[in-house]
Amino acid sequence: MNGEVVPIVIVGAGPTGLTAATLLAGYGIESVVLERWEGVFPQPRAVHLDGEIRRILARLGVGADFDAITRPALGLRLVDRKMRMLAQFDRDPAGGRNGYPEANLFDQPELEAILRANLVRHPQVRLRGNVEVGRLVEEADCVRVDFTDRITGAVEAVRARYVLGCDGANSLVRTAIGAHMRDLKFEQRWLVVDITTAAELDQWEGVHQVCDPVRAATYMRIGKTRYRWEFRLRPGETAADYPDIARLHPLIRPWTADTAAEDLELVRVAEYTFRAQLADRWRQRRIFILGDAAHLTPPFIGQGMGAGLRDAANLTWKLAGVLHGELSDSVLDSYESERKPHARAMIRLAKLIGTTMTDGGEFGNRLRRLLAPHLHRVPGLTGLVTSGESPRLHRSELIAPHRLYRTPAGRFVPNPTLENGRRLDDHIADRFAIITSTIPSPQHRALIEQRGAALVITHPGTDLHRWLRRMHSRAVLIRPDGTVLGNARTVSALCTALPLPRRQ
């Protein structure tokens, strides 16, 4: 591989790196993925993704495989230390605006195995395991990535037009570009417990958040026989204090009730420090950071892993457009300007839930009973927890809101079933698209087709037509990642914003 120049090198083969590689392959872009481990890291970590992220999995071609390992959840319930309900945010397991359940619980190693197996369908991706990346060197028109084979000790290098650092919280790539994590003032130590049992616990099939400054906790069922608990550790406590079911049983008994301890099998118990952090910059020329390398989100709204997949979906189509000669390199600046505020907003919501669960002592407990039923009025919280719509992206070169009135620009387009029985995402298929309630002229139809974009004409009474009306729009331009670029009164005004076909 020494001396070879590839379009993209991806450092890290976790969910973010594998998603980026697969999306790039769909755009015809080759990549080399460098990963420290030979196979999937076996320990459970992330357990939740929402409907927007489920749509990304569908784009990767693994939706059906994911559905076979996931368990839709009914929503989020806040309870006090005596398990009395304070507030509940319901989600329809049948799905909503995204076309899929809005709360999906799963085992991360199983998802990563699916993503790896799916690479067989994409010869554009080469995965190298058991390698240790040493350094990145920027050259005139590329980046040299030096790495060592952990089995043979051989030192190799590969050159890339662009490098994506998807290498986690201790990112070497982040260090290489001189970026630093900024503390967003949240740090708590928690005990994470994974248990399997054939017993039926007969609990509400959603996420339980125990709001208690003495022992905040989270419970969820993530599979047919798999369960996850998280407990905030008290000062002086460590995971070593809870080595087996016997020591854990008093903590989990509110949910296991009469289930005998010998019927519960401990899969893992570990200590994690939940942090809220955001990198001060996400790009240096040809090098980008994504996922945990760029942001750390407390897990209280289940958006940590999903943020990394959003990063990949946002950046990959832009890189493909630049590499194909369809877009200017300047559009790559929009990656950070769009994703960073979005990640910050999600981190703030996670901190809010975390603070709601854990702060204030006994006075906080009394206050929670008064205020928790009104959390649905918190801007952004109900929309995220119940509707499945995350915050809109901020203005950038690729998001053009109107200067005088609110538009759908920056929002994620819904994914309804069209009149032909297909989902909107399946019809658009990673392309630019124009959705309109007016009939385009033959000339505009030809131009849209020539530029490789999709055209969707809505009709009164359909979900998509009603969405356009709610957005006060007659026509919208959708980016390949599903974000609304802008809207207009006529199709002709949007046609000019479509990129030119790739150079031959």
Side-chain angles (χ1 to χ4, degrees), residues 30-307:
E30 295 182 0
S31 66
V32 172
V33 184
L34 303 176
E35 167 58 41
R36 190 174 193 275
W37 306 107
E38 177 61 30
V40 172
F41 187 70
Q43 294 295 342
R45 286 153 289 150
V47 294
H48 172 272
L49 58 83
D50 63 21
E52 288 186 359
I53 306 305
R54 174 60 181 81
R55 290 170 67 175
I56 296 176
L57 297 184
R59 292 173 56 194
L60 301 180
V62 301
D65 291 332
F66 176 74
D67 290 343
I69 68 165
T70 189
R71 190 176 188 89
L74 299 182
L76 171 68
R77 177 179 286 179
L78 304 182
V79 300
D80 65 13
R81 66 174 61 167
K82 296 181 179 180
M83 307 300 288
R84 295 174 299 191
M85 189 170 68
L86 302 174
Q88 182 167 309
F89 301 88
D90 293 314
R91 278 180 159 175
D92 185 353
R97 76 182 305 275
N98 290 304
Y100 302 102
E102 293 300 342
N104 303 275
L105 301 174
F106 63 96
D107 180 47
Q108 182 172 336
E110 290 184 316
L111 173 59
E112 289 190 30
I114 289 171
L115 293 174
R116 282 188 177 229
N118 189 52
L119 294 183
V120 175
R121 299 172 49 236
H122 300 285
Q124 301 92 339
V125 183
R126 284 179 287 167
L127 175 60
R128 283 284 305 269
N130 263 328
V131 298
E132 189 84 46
V133 174
R135 63 173 182 164
L136 281 65
V137 181
E138 292 193 73
E139 299 182 347
D141 57 352
C142 64
V143 180
R144 191 184 81 236
V145 182
D146 297 335
F147 60 94
T148 302
D149 188 304
R150 297 177 65 231
I151 303 299
T152 67
V155 178
E156 301 181 51
V158 59
R159 289 174 168 82
R161 293 280 305 277
Y162 296 96
V163 173
L164 309 187
C166 306
D167 50 342
N170 299 313
S171 171
L172 176 144
V173 178
R174 183 180 65 236
T175 300
I177 68 173
H180 302 278
M181 281 297 206
R182 300 303 187 195
D183 184 14
L184 300 184
K185 308 302 180 185
F186 188 94
E187 183 172 315
Q188 294 181 354
R189 294 186 311 115
W190 284 64
L191 186 74
V192 178
V193 180
D194 287 279
I195 284 175
T196 183
T197 179
E200 183 57 59
L201 302 188
D202 293 322
Q203 297 293 331
W204 181 69
E205 295 285 317
V207 178
H208 301 206
Q209 301 276 30
V210 179
C211 303
D212 180 12
V214 177
R215 180 72 83 187
T218 303
Y219 158 84
M220 66 201 85
R221 183 176 186 174
I222 63 173
K224 186 176 181 180
T225 62
R226 287 287 302 277
Y227 298 84
R228 160 72 61 88
W229 282 268
E230 297 166 354
F231 299 96
R232 188 176 181 185
L233 288 168
R234 297 169 181 169
E237 285 186 321
T238 69
D241 296 321
Y242 299 95
D244 50 38
I245 288 292
R247 296 295 297 273
L248 288 166
H249 206 228
L251 294 181
I252 65 176
R253 187 174 289 137
W255 295 273
T256 59
D258 297 329
T259 303
E262 54 266 28
D263 293 330
L264 304 172
E265 179 183 347
L266 182 60
V267 177
R268 180 193 68 151
V269 59
E271 178 180 329
Y272 278 84
T273 299
F274 297 161
R275 293 186 172 91
Q277 295 181 343
L278 197 64
D280 54 0
R281 57 193 179 95
W282 296 20
R283 178 192 184 188
Q284 177 176 288
R285 297 183 67 241
R286 296 179 178 272
I287 306 172
F288 301 82
I289 55 174
L290 299 79
D292 285 356
H295 40 71
L296 294 175
T297 308
F300 305 112
I301 56 173
Q303 290 292 327
M305 189 195 77

Side-chain angles (χ1 to χ4, degrees), residues 194-447:
D194 287 279
I195 284 175
T196 183
T197 179
E200 183 57 59
L201 302 188
D202 293 322
Q203 297 293 331
W204 181 69
E205 295 285 317
V207 178
H208 301 206
Q209 301 276 30
V210 179
C211 303
D212 180 12
V214 177
R215 180 72 83 187
T218 303
Y219 158 84
M220 66 201 85
R221 183 176 186 174
I222 63 173
K224 186 176 181 180
T225 62
R226 287 287 302 277
Y227 298 84
R228 160 72 61 88
W229 282 268
E230 297 166 354
F231 299 96
R232 188 176 181 185
L233 288 168
R234 297 169 181 169
E237 285 186 321
T238 69
D241 296 321
Y242 299 95
D244 50 38
I245 288 292
R247 296 295 297 273
L248 288 166
H249 206 228
L251 294 181
I252 65 176
R253 187 174 289 137
W255 295 273
T256 59
D258 297 329
T259 303
E262 54 266 28
D263 293 330
L264 304 172
E265 179 183 347
L266 182 60
V267 177
R268 180 193 68 151
V269 59
E271 178 180 329
Y272 278 84
T273 299
F274 297 161
R275 293 186 172 91
Q277 295 181 343
L278 197 64
D280 54 0
R281 57 193 179 95
W282 296 20
R283 178 192 184 188
Q284 177 176 288
R285 297 183 67 241
R286 296 179 178 272
I287 306 172
F288 301 82
I289 55 174
L290 299 79
D292 285 356
H295 40 71
L296 294 175
T297 308
F300 305 112
I301 56 173
Q303 290 292 327
M305 189 195 77
L309 270 63
R310 284 187 172 95
D311 294 341
N314 184 285
L315 180 58
T316 49
W317 72 271
K318 299 170 185 177
L319 284 169
V322 171
L323 290 166
H324 285 318
E326 299 169 349
L327 299 173
S328 165
D329 179 84
S330 65
V331 305
L332 300 178
D333 290 333
S334 68
Y335 165 62
E336 180 175 344
S337 65
E338 292 175 2
R339 285 295 305 135
K340 192 174 183 179
H342 189 280
R344 184 185 290 111
M346 301 298 261
I347 291 171
R348 285 173 175 167
L349 285 175
K351 285 177 58 181
L352 173 65
I353 292 295
T355 301
T356 298
M357 290 172 61
T358 61
D359 274 9
E362 288 305 316
F363 174 75
N365 280 339
R366 292 193 294 270
L367 195 61
R368 267 182 282 275
R369 292 205 60 82
L370 293 173
L371 298 183
H374 304 287
L375 279 175
H376 65 279
R377 298 177 180 173
V378 175
L381 181 60
T382 298
L384 174 65
V385 176
T386 61
S387 77
E389 183 175 12
S390 66
R392 71 163 69 206
L393 300 182
H394 287 204
R395 185 184 183 94
S396 76
E397 183 175 340
L398 293 167
I399 296 176
H402 197 279
R403 295 181 181 275
L404 299 180
Y405 57 87
R406 290 178 62 85
T407 75
R411 293 187 179 277
F412 203 53
V413 67
N415 187 31
T417 301
L418 304 179
E419 293 171 312
N420 61 9
R422 302 173 67 195
R423 289 281 179 190
L424 176 66
D425 285 355
D426 298 329
H427 179 75
I428 292 176
D430 299 336
R431 296 175 289 169
F432 278 92
I434 291 178
I435 302 174
T436 178
S437 59
T438 63
I439 304 299
S441 68
Q443 293 82 2
H444 289 135
R445 285 177 179 266
L447 179 60

